[in-house]
Amino acid sequence: MQTSAPKKLFWQNPWRIAGWGLIIGLLLLPLIAMQFTAEVNWTGFDFVAAAVLLGGTGLLIELGCHYSRSGAGRVGWALVVLTSLLLIWMNLAVGIIGSEDNPANMLYFGVLASVVIGAPAVRFRAKGMSYVLYLTAALQMTVEVIIQLADLGAAPVLNLAFALLWLLAAGLLRNAATRLAVQPGSGA
């Protein structure tokens, strides 16, 4: 008879403490910087937007870790969420194609839409999500082709880096699904 280890409480998990501490630290950083320089000038809306983005990221990583049964799956889901956050943040802060006001930056929300629509469509299953992320990587590079053809500028290194992050997450989730499928009595 197997006995399961008692669940750790929130404050007993060092990864959780580090993650949420990092989020709080990132939110405090501009507040502290505003005390020393006029270069950083955040409004209340900026802090709320950052708190929603960072807090939502933390909650989504928590969910991914809670429902994933393997280390590769947990890292894969965390990478999906963090890559999405980075793409959103860059677009809102400075824009990838020109400035943040350039309407061509909306193309990147199509890339993110593939994740947002694809994840529930595959019922958040690791194997299905790996296929969604392959598509997402292809869409990321399609954006680069579009901006090249429309002569809107270029961000080949950045788009390639994002595509590689999507592919890495896909590989981790695929690995997690394969390992779970091999284990007896498990459902991937």
Side-chain angles (χ1 to χ4, degrees), residues 16-39:
R16 278 183 151 167
I17 293 170
W20 287 106
L22 178 64
I23 288 172
I24 292 168
L26 287 172
L27 287 170
L28 289 175
L29 200 59
L31 182 64
I32 294 167
M34 286 171 51
Q35 307 308 311
F36 298 103
T37 179
E39 303 263 334

Side-chain angles (χ1 to χ4, degrees), residues 8 12 20 39 45 72 74 92 103 109 112-113 118 120-121 123 137 139 150 162 165 174 183:
K8 286 185 175 182
Q12 293 175 323
W20 287 106
E39 303 263 334
F45 176 78
R74 290 180 178 127
L92 292 177
F109 289 106
L112 291 168
R123 296 186 349 225
L139 288 172
F162 273 107
L165 288 171
R174 181 89 172 171
Q183 292 176 356

Side-chain angles (χ1 to χ4, degrees), residues 88-170:
I88 292 168
W89 197 295
M90 287 178 70
N91 247 336
L92 292 177
V94 294
I96 297 171
I97 305 169
S99 74
E100 68 273 11
D101 298 327
N102 190 336
N105 282 311
M106 296 301 285
L107 291 169
Y108 291 105
F109 289 106
V111 173
L112 291 168
S114 68
V115 176
V116 171
I117 294 168
V122 297
R123 296 186 349 225
F124 300 95
R125 302 258 184 187
K127 185 176 181 180
M129 195 60 195
S130 69
Y131 294 125
V132 168
L133 293 172
Y134 294 141
L135 171 68
T136 304
L139 288 172
Q140 186 80 44
M141 292 312 296
T142 302
V143 169
E144 179 59 34
V145 170
I146 291 169
I147 63 175
Q148 289 284 345
L149 292 174
D151 201 26
L152 296 171
V157 173
L158 195 58
N159 282 312
L160 181 61
F162 273 107
L164 290 173
L165 288 171
W166 296 124
L167 290 173
L168 177 59

